[in-house]
Amino acid sequence: MEPLKLKANYRCVPALQQFYAGGAYAVSSDASFIVCASADSINIVDSATSSIRSTLDGDSESVTALTLSPDDKLLFSSSHSRQIRVWDLSTLKCVRSWKGHDGPVMCMACHPSGGLLATGGADRKVLVWDVDGGYCTHYFKGHGGVVSCIMFHPDPEKQLLFSGSDDGGDHATLRVWDVSKTKKKNCIATLDNHRSAVTSLAVSEDGWTLLSAGRDKAYSNETLSYILFYLVVTLWDLHDYSCKKTVITNEAVEAVCVVGSGSPFAASLDLYGKNAKKRAVAQAFYFVTVGERGIVHIWGSEGAVCLFEQKVSDVTASTDEDGLRRGFISAVMLPSDQGLLCVTADQQFLFYSLESTVELLQLNLTKRLVGYNEEVVDMKFVGDDEKFLALATNLEQVRVYDLASMSCSYVLSGHTEIVLCLDTCVSSSGRSLIVTGSKDNSVRLWEAESKSCIGVGVGHMGAVGAVAFSKRKRDFFVSGSSDHTLKVWSMNGLSDDMTMAINLKAKAVVAAHDKDINSVAIAPNDSLVCSGSQDRTACIWRLPDLVSVVVLRGHKRGIWSVEFSPVDQCVVTASGDKTIRIWAISDGSCLKTFEGHTSSVLRALFVTRGTQIVSCGADGLVKLWTVKTNECVATYDNHEDKVWALAVGRKTEMLATGGSDAVVNLWYDSTAADKEEAFRKEEEGVLKGQELQNAISDADYTKAIQLAFELRRPHKLFELFAGICRKRGAEDHIDRALKGLGGEELRVLFNYVREWNTKPKHCYVSQFVLFRAFNIFPPTEIVQIKGIGELLEGLIAYSQRHFVRIDRLVRSTFLLNYILSGMSVIEPENQQTEFTAEIPLQSDNIIDKQHVVEEEDPQKNATVSKKRKKSSKSRHGSIKKVKDVAYKKVETIQLLA
């Protein structure tokens, strides 16, 4: 048997992130990415994987409008601050911004040439801007209410701009503007056929038909009873701006899209239209409408014929604050063969493709991207290969995600209240099953392949907060509820070819606890079940009759999670008292206690054959523990809020976590990869260390400094700089070495220099390197270094201290100069030559005078000679003392300020 290898580290991969909070969005011309508004920020999302490529920080106000330039190089945005911003998507920087509206900008559109930007605002104005200059080229007034949609004519030769508004009072207008500079009259036509807000505009491929959609409601009074129906899509002739046709769709339409003649949608519709019974009139073009019911309709332009109506909606229609139903809120026809994109009111992006035969049209949902998942309360891996992940959020549905693309593969709908818990298993027949518990007091059994409900269990009197499948036979599951009871449900009546859900029967029931049951777990051999409750106890029951075996007491707060060990006769519990405990099943004694979380521990599961534990808590932390040593091996802080859900793959032991931050993270065991990487780095470090020594031996300082940076050896780097400073041409050597540094290496250099500068004995090297760095690199490049402000603050403080110390030393040399001058050791610089010349001259004169006196009066000379000998002796003695002080010949010392 292969020896057991403990896990030391996990690598986190963000799988699901909140990228769309509703409102404005824009799709690139090739549909490779989607720009989404998320509160005050803008996310650029990969449409293939739903991962966030980059995020643009806004101005702390909610984003109200977004659009892209035709070449996808520029992004235009506006928020409640009324600031219009232009973003360069290659650098992710705002290149210019301006204000022009008196209210929030509600919609915007870019001219097909990319040179003009049109904006419509809540101030009833329509403004056209020069993109490069940022100035207003056209100022249009005339709308009586908020401008709700705006669009340029897709043909650049036709300088037309269309705008729609909600004027209030059951009245809305659509205006056509001339944006060419040759026309004096700007408003060409006012199109009046809508009674509510105009929501969407589209132009046919030939450029001569304008389609407008809205939320109109028309009433007819017959015998004092009102008949309500919708007149919402209008076709306008752009030759004379007359109304060609009004299409009744029986729902408030949020978007209308023209189907391109060369698209797969059009080809499928043409194939379907070959049947004369289905359509006797040739259609000029097709268009799609979506609205409040969440149903996709496809229409023909001739005769207002509905060619296709989706039978079952893929959307859960919601109700807004005004009591109106909200299904789809927008739709876009994607380029090439990528089909139709519809956006829902609950922040989902649905991608559709159309297939057809002569007799049948079928709309297929190819991909579903969820922009916001609400709070994740539970999750489990689905299937034997664990390629899917089922999520229970603050919704009535369960969303199942494909881990490869992280798109929502399907949704399980049936509960009438929020789903609180779920569990998964693979039955003995190979079917992937999912069981869910909800606030509607019921449990439901689902089959993953058919995406259908095959069983419903009713009987609990409170919300079902915990469910668990049997581990061995997989023919029953257990549920725990807020009604304090534990139920065992049988799955014996299920068959492989079921099409209708059956009523599940409870085999056993027991009043298990005094408070809500939060978690249940079944032993690997299906002989025991453990339940954890808010009453601070965990109880172990014998199956199938639910006979009490032992009660686990010791936690000081409610128990949130229980789990059986896969190999030992013990149970692990996680509690609100911030601890994790392992209990013996035989006598209920506490074997081990793990402390480390700073808040309630919400989940704790065994990994590595029961030798390690993974836990998560309300502190947002995920921890890995070793059971034998009670040691916390690793702590991960990749969530910003409570981590409610934790799932462990049965085969791969891959982890998945989710919580209140609506983020789902996947965790992969990286222990072996980390060891291999550490060995590779160590080997690489040894080779580079030898290269460094060779470069120093060859006096190749540029290469040596570069290698020292790569190896992150600040001491060796200081020795190199100190050695260069003692050589001739030190400036050239250091300049050549510094010029080869990149931005990150320059930041590291400033960090090292700051540390060297704190010590007086190293400051001369740090100041010299700093001086050369400021000479080489321009200030504009230096200020771009990450964290340069903090680094410069540290450099300035110690540099000032060093200069004060040097200034104090210089002033002290003046006192030394004065003392030495007073002791006749040194004299001022201007008397140096005179001093050295006068001494021999004075000696010669004295000798000459002595000879003259001796010749004139020998006797007197003898007396004088004695006195002079005495005087000379004392004078020579004083000179000797000075020499004794100096110990050597002293020359004049010049002091440089």
Side-chain angles (χ1 to χ4, degrees), residues 16 128 139 159 175 195 208 269 272 323 337 390 406 412 483 533 624 647 666 676 744 751 760 792 802 805:
L16 285 178
V128 182
Y139 181 98
Q159 299 292 322
R175 291 179 178 266
R195 296 294 175 264
W208 293 110
L269 290 168
Y272 174 72
D337 59 346
M406 286 318 298
L412 304 178
D483 61 4
S533 170
L624 176 64
L666 296 179
E676 185 178 346
E744 179 62 22
N751 191 24
L792 291 180
H802 294 321
R805 178 172 53 83

Side-chain angles (χ1 to χ4, degrees), residues 557-626:
R557 294 287 186 273
I559 295 175
W560 287 104
S561 172
V562 294
E563 179 74 9
F564 280 94
S565 170
V567 292
D568 296 322
Q569 296 294 314
C570 61
V571 175
V572 62
T573 58
S575 170
D577 61 6
K578 310 176 189 179
T579 65
I580 303 167
R581 292 174 183 255
I582 295 180
W583 310 80
I585 296 176
S586 57
D587 57 0
S589 61
C590 180
L591 303 177
K592 285 181 177 292
T593 301
F594 302 85
E595 296 180 352
H597 281 279
T598 58
S599 189
S600 300
V601 187
L602 303 176
R603 286 287 187 275
L605 300 176
F606 282 105
V607 293
T608 324
R609 301 181 198 165
T611 59
Q612 290 183 293
I613 296 173
V614 176
S615 64
C616 61
D619 52 8
L621 302 179
V622 178
K623 288 179 175 288
L624 176 64
W625 309 81
T626 300

Side-chain angles (χ1 to χ4, degrees), residues 140 176-180 182-190:
F140 299 138
V176 184
W177 312 91
D178 182 9
V179 294
S180 66
T182 57
K183 296 284 185 180
K184 294 183 179 180
K185 186 179 180 181
N186 292 322
C187 185
I188 298 176
T190 300

Side-chain angles (χ1 to χ4, degrees), residues 539-787:
C539 297
I540 298 178
W541 311 84
R542 183 174 290 107
L543 290 171
D545 301 326
L546 294 179
V547 177
S548 179
V549 176
V550 68
V551 178
L552 311 178
R553 305 179 187 275
H555 281 294
K556 300 178 181 178
R557 294 287 186 273
I559 295 175
W560 287 104
S561 172
V562 294
E563 179 74 9
F564 280 94
S565 170
V567 292
D568 296 322
Q569 296 294 314
C570 61
V571 175
V572 62
T573 58
S575 170
D577 61 6
K578 310 176 189 179
T579 65
I580 303 167
R581 292 174 183 255
I582 295 180
W583 310 80
I585 296 176
S586 57
D587 57 0
S589 61
C590 180
L591 303 177
K592 285 181 177 292
T593 301
F594 302 85
E595 296 180 352
H597 281 279
T598 58
S599 189
S600 300
V601 187
L602 303 176
R603 286 287 187 275
L605 300 176
F606 282 105
V607 293
T608 324
R609 301 181 198 165
T611 59
Q612 290 183 293
I613 296 173
V614 176
S615 64
C616 61
D619 52 8
L621 302 179
V622 178
K623 288 179 175 288
L624 176 64
W625 309 81
T626 300
V627 174
K628 184 177 181 179
T629 61
N630 278 45
E631 178 188 3
C632 178
V633 179
T635 301
Y636 308 98
D637 187 8
N638 292 75
H639 286 275
E640 297 178 358
D641 209 336
K642 299 181 183 69
V643 184
W644 285 105
L646 172 65
V648 178
R650 295 182 181 89
K651 292 184 177 180
T652 61
E653 291 204 334
M654 176 177 64
L655 305 181
T657 57
S660 300
D661 55 1
V663 173
V664 175
N665 290 325
L666 296 179
W667 305 79
Y668 299 92
D669 180 17
S670 61
T671 305
D674 290 346
K675 287 183 178 179
E676 185 178 346
E677 180 67 16
F679 179 76
R680 187 189 63 79
K681 285 185 177 181
E682 183 180 358
E683 185 179 22
E684 185 179 347
V686 171
L687 295 176
K688 285 189 175 181
Q690 186 58 49
E691 286 185 42
L692 175 61
Q693 295 300 326
N694 295 339
I696 295 174
S697 302
D698 298 338
D700 189 353
Y701 296 109
T702 303
K703 183 178 180 180
I705 289 174
Q706 186 68 32
L707 289 170
F709 270 113
E710 293 178 6
L711 295 172
R712 293 294 188 266
R713 296 184 180 179
H715 181 68
K716 179 61 71 176
L717 193 61
F718 176 81
E719 291 180 351
L720 287 170
F721 280 129
I724 293 173
C725 290
R726 289 192 290 267
K727 295 181 178 294
R728 291 185 178 181
E731 294 86 351
D732 295 336
H733 288 297
I734 291 182
D735 289 355
R736 283 196 300 270
L738 296 183
K739 285 178 181 177
L741 300 181
E744 179 62 22
E745 291 174 336
L746 196 59
R747 185 191 66 80
V748 174
L749 173 66
F750 275 101
N751 191 24
Y752 290 162
V753 169
R754 182 185 63 175
E755 296 302 321
W756 300 338
N757 198 49
T758 58
K759 299 179 181 179
K761 65 179 180 180
H762 296 160
C763 69
Y764 72 97
V765 176
S766 64
Q767 291 293 325
F768 186 72
V769 174
L770 190 64
F771 176 72
R772 299 314 307 168
F774 280 118
N775 277 337
I776 296 171
F777 300 102
T780 54
E781 185 176 343
I782 292 176
V783 296
Q784 299 298 325
I785 299 174
K786 185 179 179 180

